[in-house]
Amino acid sequence: MSKKPVRVAVTGAAGQIGYALLFRIASGEMLGKDQPVILQLLEIPDEKAQKALKGVMMELQDCAFPLLVGMEAHSDPMTGFKDTDYALLVGARPRGPGMERADLLAANAQIFTAQGKALNAVASRNVKVLVVGNPANTNAYIAMKSAPDLPAKNFTAMLRLDHNRALSQVAEKTGKAVADIRKLCVWGNHSPTMYADYRFATIGGQNVKDLIDDQVWNETVFLPTVGKRGAAIIEARGLSSAASAANAAIDHMHDWALGTGGEWVTMGIPSQGWYGIPKDTVFGFPVTCENGEYKVVEGLPIDAFSQKCIDKTLAELEGEKDGVKHLL
Ligand SMILES: NC(=O)C1=CN([C@@H]2O[C@H](COP(=O)(O)OP(=O)(O)OC[C@H]3O[C@@H](n4cnc5c(N)ncnc54)[C@H](O)[C@@H]3O)[C@@H](O)[C@H]2O)C=CC1
Ligand SMILES: O=C([O-])CC(=O)C(=O)O
C-alpha cells in the first residue's frame, strides 16, 4: 500500500539553497523513495521573489516527480506552515553592508519569532523543524521559544555541513574513504567557533586521533579549515555555500526521520543539560537517530583542550542568546 503524503514546508524557497534542495526533496532523497510529499513553499511577499518562486515551481512540475503529489506557494507562514510535518527554515536576512552582528540578530529574530509563532499555531503537533538560515543555532532557539505548545526537542539547527566538512578533511588527511569514518562529531555553534572532534572517530576500527597523531595539525589546520570553510567558499565562489548546504539539510532530515542505524551524526539541538551545556541552548552534539527521535551520545570524556573549545563556542552562543533576550 502506498504511504500517506507528508507535508514539507521550505522557506526561502526561491533562494540559492532552495534551488539545490527542492528537487532532491521531491525526488525522495530526503524522506525515502516510497514517501509522497506535498511541498509548501514560502517566500517573502515581494513581487520579484514570488515570481522567481513560480519559476522554480514550473521547473519542479517539469520534472514530473512521481513522489511530488502537491505544491503550494505562500507568502504568509500562517498559511505556509498549515499542518506541516517537516519545516526547513532556510530563508533569512543576510548580513548587508555596515550591518553589525547585533543588527543581523535583531532582523532575524523578527523572522524566526513570527515563524515560530506560526508553527505553534498551525503546524502538525509532531513537526520536525530544521533551521538553516544564519545564525542557525540562535534562530532555532528563537523559533523554539516562540512555539511553547510544540515539543522543544523538535527544533533543531544545522551543524551537518560542518560535520560533513570535517569528514572530508579527515578522509583527505588519512587517505581513507569518507564512508569508512565513524564516530566523528562537531560541538557547539554553526560558526567559526564550532569544535570538530575526531578523538572518538575510527576508520576500519583504527582510532583516527592515533592515525593522525598530530595535535598541531588539529589546532592549526583542521579546526580553522572546517571553521572557516563558509568564508572560503564565499571568497572562491562570490556566493555562500548552496549545494553543500542543501545536501547537509537533506542528510540531517533524512537521518532524523529514517534513522542512522547506530552511526553518529551531528545535530544542533536544545540542550537538556548534556555535557554541562545550559538547558535550551541550541548546541551541536553527537547523536544517533532511531524511530524519528534523536538521542545524544552521552558519557564521552572531555579533555582540557576540548573543554576549552566547547567553552569558547558556548560563550559565543550565550552572547547571541543575550542579544535577543529582549525580543522574546
Ligand atoms: N547552517 C548552515 O550550515 C548554512 C546556512 N546558510 C544560511 O542559509 C540562508 C539562506 O542562504 P541562501 O539560500 O544562499 O540565501 P539566498 O539569499 O539565496 O536565499 C534566501 C531566500 O530567503 C528568502 N527569505 C528571506 N526572508 C524570508 C522569510 N521571512 N520568509 C521566507 N523567505 C524568506 C529571500 O527572499 C531569498 O529568496 C542564509 O542565512 C545563509 O547564511 C548557508 C549555508 C550553510
Ligand atoms: O558562511 C556562510 O555565510 C554560509 C555558511 O553558513 C556556511 O557555508 O557554513
Side-chain angles (χ1 to χ4, degrees), residues 9-327:
V10 178
T11 73
Q16 50 151 5
I17 294 177
Y19 197 67
L21 180 64
L22 297 175
F23 299 85
R24 296 185 62 190
I25 298 174
S27 74
E29 285 181 65
M30 187 169 90
L31 297 172
K33 296 283 182 184
D34 59 348
Q35 178 60 66
V37 295
I38 298 166
L39 287 175
Q40 299 171 285
L41 306 174
L42 245 111
E43 259 298 341
I44 49 172
D46 162 90
E47 199 181 326
K48 201 164 156 230
Q50 289 293 326
K51 191 170 168 212
L53 177 57
K54 288 279 161 7
V56 176
M57 291 170 79
M58 285 158 70
E59 282 204 70
L60 280 161
Q61 189 180 20
D62 292 349
C63 293
F65 289 119
L67 291 170
L68 183 59
V69 297
M71 194 166 31
E72 306 161 3
H74 295 274
S75 58
D76 178 354
M78 287 296 281
T79 55
F81 292 152
K82 181 93 181 85
D83 296 329
T84 200
D85 301 292
Y86 298 88
L88 291 89
L89 309 187
V90 179
R93 173 91 185 270
R95 196 184 336 204
M99 260 179 112
E100 296 300 331
R101 197 176 176 82
D103 302 330
L104 184 69
L105 274 171
N108 280 308
Q110 280 172 13
I111 295 176
F112 288 87
T113 311
Q115 294 187 353
K117 283 183 180 160
L119 287 164
N120 195 55
V122 301
S124 154
R125 298 300 84 185
N126 297 315
V127 63
K128 285 180 162 56
V129 182
L130 167 63
V131 176
V132 175
N134 280 321
N137 297 52
T138 297
N139 288 341
Y141 172 80
I142 293 166
M144 174 189 83
K145 286 290 177 195
S146 306
D149 302 327
L150 294 172
K153 67 179 169 59
N154 288 17
F155 287 80
T156 68
M158 194 162 93
L159 265 291
R160 186 60 176 264
L161 182 53
D162 311 275
H163 180 99
N164 288 347
R165 286 167 172 165
L167 280 176
S168 286
Q169 293 301 319
V170 166
E172 190 172 56
K173 174 74 174 170
T174 56
K176 308 280 187 186
V178 164
D180 293 335
I181 305 173
R182 304 273 176 281
K183 297 188 172 176
L184 188 101
C185 66
V186 181
W187 305 89
N189 199 5
H190 171 68
S191 88
T193 66
M194 56 91 236
Y195 173 45
D197 186 358
Y198 58 69
R199 290 175 303 138
F200 313 106
T202 61
I203 301 179
Q206 264 185 298
N207 178 264
V208 167
K209 186 165 182 266
D210 294 344
L211 208 59
I212 293 176
D213 192 24
D214 190 346
Q215 181 60 10
V216 174
W217 179 80
N218 184 27
E219 289 181 37
T220 63
V221 181
F222 176 68
L223 289 173
T225 300
V226 178
K228 296 182 191 157
R229 188 67 162 189
I233 305 277
I234 293 173
E235 169 66 22
R237 232 169 66 85
L239 286 168
S240 67
S241 329
S244 56
N247 180 67
I250 296 276
D251 284 350
H252 178 115
M253 281 307 209
H254 173 275
D255 288 354
W256 191 4
L258 301 177
T260 61
E263 301 298 342
W264 297 14
V265 292
T266 301
M267 289 171 72
I269 55 176
S271 177
Q272 287 185 21
W274 304 294
Y275 294 98
I277 305 305
K279 188 169 180 321
D280 287 349
T281 296
V282 177
F283 202 83
F285 286 105
V287 301
T288 56
C289 302
E290 202 182 338
N291 300 324
E293 302 286 340
Y294 58 78
K295 192 163 166 265
V296 170
V297 179
E298 294 189 72
L300 298 170
I302 305 296
D303 61 20
F305 174 74
S306 302
Q307 191 62 56
K308 199 176 83 186
C309 295
I310 287 173
D311 289 348
K312 185 176 169 197
T313 192
L314 175 61
E316 183 183 47
L317 271 174
E318 294 300 283
E320 290 183 16
K321 255 170 76 180
D322 233 37
V324 297
K325 199 167 58 194
H326 61 290
L327 300 164

